[in-house]
Amino acid sequence: MSIQPPLTDLPIRTADHGFYKGFTKDVTITAKLLVGGLIIWAVAFPG
Amino acid sequence: MLGALNSVILATFSFWYVYVMAFFVILCLGMALWPSAGRLKLGLDSDEPEFSNFSWFSMMFGAGIGIGMLTFATAEPMYHFGTNPATITGETEGSTAGNVRDAYIWSFTHWGVAAWASYAIVGLALAFFSYRRGLPLTIRSSLAPIFGKSLSGPVGHIVDIVAVVATVLGVSQTLGYGVEQFVSGLVRIGVGDWLQVTAADGSVTSSTAGIIMALVIIMGASTVSALSGVGKGIKWLSNLNMGLSFFLLAFFLIFGSTSFGLNALFIGMWDYLLSIPFNIFAVFQPVSLEAFTAAAPEAVKALSAEDLAAVHTSATSPWGTLGSFTEGLPEAAAALPQETISAAYAAAEEGRLSGWQGAWTIFYWAWWIAFAPFVGVFLARISRGRTIREYVLGAMIIPAIMCFVWFALVGGTAIDLELSGRAEGAISGAGQSDQLFATLAVMLSDWQAFIMSVIVVILLLTYLVTSVDSAVLIINTINAAGDEGPKARPHILFWGVALALVVGGLIIAGGLAAIQTAMVIGALPFSVVMVLMGLSMIKAIFRDGQRQRASIP
């Protein structure tokens, strides 16, 4: 069995313009929504 | 609902949290000691470490634990001095000299090599795959040997999202303790009693106004720091943190219970080393009502369903004693002979141990896991050019010993003041966020205690600000696929405000317990990512060895 070389290049697509320039939109927006949801939950359902 | 979910997770996943932490310890030690793995560099073979050993250790300690020491250096040994598994099983009596060694075993267990192994594994995997393989400095890169190029897509996105959410929750937990202690400090230095409220049970917590005021101060200072230029604010504040931390530690070394503290340090470390093989694998199972009923004496089984449930709840509570259990029994149960009551209490021992473990050990393991992406990215950034052996031993052992020194000198002084009767319960009776200030108040005259409290409040503020600053920087780095360059101000502001709202919202909604619950839940998915990181490292090192033997570059 041949031994594969290790992965040395992992391209991750980031926005090239706009508000999210330089950011991975899928990650940033989803994380913001989840954290925002947690805050709303804490405020809407205290205790 | 959050509380119910937390109970399910604690009951179902206690074993998972315990065994993954044990896995991290064994894996880290294995990689450091295995000759061909230990000598691999976190970077190219020509890379040299960027920082001196002293700077490296100082930065690791500051990032990983710093702020926690201010709350828990006193609170942790003090709490375990009162209750720990040895008091639950009746081997020792709480709040007596005979319980000091067990108090330190558990304090050191929670803040020792297991905690640092969890940070080390994330930093190790990130540094290895980023600096040795040239992949982006983001969490998904550390899973490259398992998922390969698919990490460019949704699989990688999920890994990074899980890391960002865990970071927010882990940092929020740290900030939550810091905010509570900051408010206690403000009250101690005379800003106003309105910053706190007293609950019906007599416990004192921060008022809503106090939390909002503290968060406005902390977030305002953090925003100024974060917008002051790339890293300038963090660097200046980090130096201030280290200076004030060493001053505080030196103060306790000179003016605290030095002999008691040094004894606690050395004997505690020895006891801790001996306890590691048992404590890192120990999992206590909850005792259900059915299991309790089956094991209880016949006279207890004959109680009404309502009374039986009340006896079960009380018997499995880790916070009481046989005496308080007996006093709180429903009328029908209280009429039973004392030996029957004792037997019922004994039948629930494993449940009490499980409750204690969930509230302490599992909580800590979840906290360290949730905090690991934050500390791990930082550890990776400062460890380029070090060998795996040097990195693992440095990151696991030196900061753990620093924690032990804090616990022994600061917590030891608090315990000694209580044991000698000088404190008259003023420290043990204070809330955990106030115990450091209470210790200073017992040790010193009013004006001396005031000055020291001001110093602690300043130190808390600078630690909180650097934590928020660093967290925002790291969250934005993960969101930007590992790009550490400057980010637009709205993104810095968003995460700063989000952290403040998570901390403020959860504390106001349900106190620190609400943050704890959210954090235990949020840490679970990242613990899976961390296990995969460990497996990735094993696979990568194994394959590197194969390539080396086959002379393949």
Side-chain angles (χ1 to χ4, degrees), chain B residues 112-124:
Chain B
V113 294
W116 287 94
S118 67
Y119 297 159
I121 205 82
V122 176
L124 178 66

Side-chain angles (χ1 to χ4, degrees), chain B residues 448-472:
Chain B
Q448 288 169 331
F450 174 82
I451 291 171
M452 285 305 295
S453 296
V454 169
I455 290 172
V456 173
V457 168
I458 292 170
L459 186 54
L460 271 166
L461 180 62
T462 54
Y463 262 132
L464 285 163
V465 170
T466 38
S467 297
V468 173
D469 256 13
S470 308
V472 170

Side-chain angles (χ1 to χ4, degrees), chain B residues 135-221:
Chain B
L135 303 184
L137 184 66
T138 187
I139 305 296
R140 69 177 82 187
S141 299
S142 56
L143 306 187
I146 295 178
F147 295 107
K149 284 189 179 296
S150 64
L151 287 167
S152 291
V155 175
H157 297 339
I158 291 169
V159 171
D160 282 351
I161 290 165
V162 163
V164 170
V165 173
T167 303
V168 169
L169 293 171
V171 172
S172 296
Q173 181 72 61
T174 306
L175 293 178
Y177 283 120
V179 165
E180 288 276 8
Q181 194 174 18
F182 184 65
V183 171
S184 289
L186 291 178
V187 172
R188 285 272 177 181
I189 62 176
V191 174
D193 290 342
W194 56 272
L195 294 167
Q196 290 181 321
V197 288
T198 305
D201 64 357
S203 61
V204 177
T205 54
S206 303
S207 65
T208 302
I211 293 165
I212 291 171
M213 190 182 109
L215 285 172
V216 167
I217 293 172
I218 294 159
M219 301 319 295

Side-chain angles (χ1 to χ4, degrees), chain A residues 1 3-14 19-36 38-39 41-43 45-47, chain B residues 2 133-136 138 140-141 144 148-149 151-152 157 160-161 164-165 168-169 476 479-481 487 490-491 494-495 498 501-502 505-506 509 546-547 550 552:
Chain A
M1 188 182 81
I3 304 169
Q4 296 292 318
L7 187 69
T8 54
D9 181 36
L10 184 66
I12 302 171
R13 195 174 157 200
T14 55
F19 183 72
Y20 287 103
K21 185 181 176 188
F23 286 91
T24 313
K25 282 169 87 170
D26 295 307
V27 174
T28 311
I29 294 171
T30 311
K32 282 182 175 179
L33 288 173
L34 287 171
V35 173
L38 179 66
I39 295 165
W41 191 11
V43 174
F45 304 101
Chain B
L2 213 55
R133 297 278 201 258
L135 303 184
T138 187
R140 69 177 82 187
S141 299
K149 284 189 179 296
L151 287 167
S152 291
H157 297 339
D160 282 351
I161 290 165
V164 170
V165 173
V168 169
L169 293 171
N476 276 328
N479 284 339
K487 302 292 184 298
H491 297 288
F494 175 88
W495 287 107
L501 290 175
V502 170
L506 286 173
Q546 279 186 320
R547 290 185 198 101
I552 298 170

Side-chain angles (χ1 to χ4, degrees), chain B residues 470-496:
Chain B
S470 308
V472 170
L473 185 71
I474 283 165
I475 289 168
N476 276 328
T477 300
I478 297 171
N479 284 339
D483 175 16
E484 296 179 85
K487 302 292 184 298
R489 288 184 175 191
H491 297 288
I492 295 172
L493 287 171
F494 175 88
W495 287 107

Side-chain angles (χ1 to χ4, degrees), chain B residues 288-306:
Chain B
S288 65
L289 179 59
E290 293 72 26
F292 173 71
T293 308
E298 290 302 322
V300 174
K301 288 177 190 169
L303 292 170
S304 69
E306 192 183 342

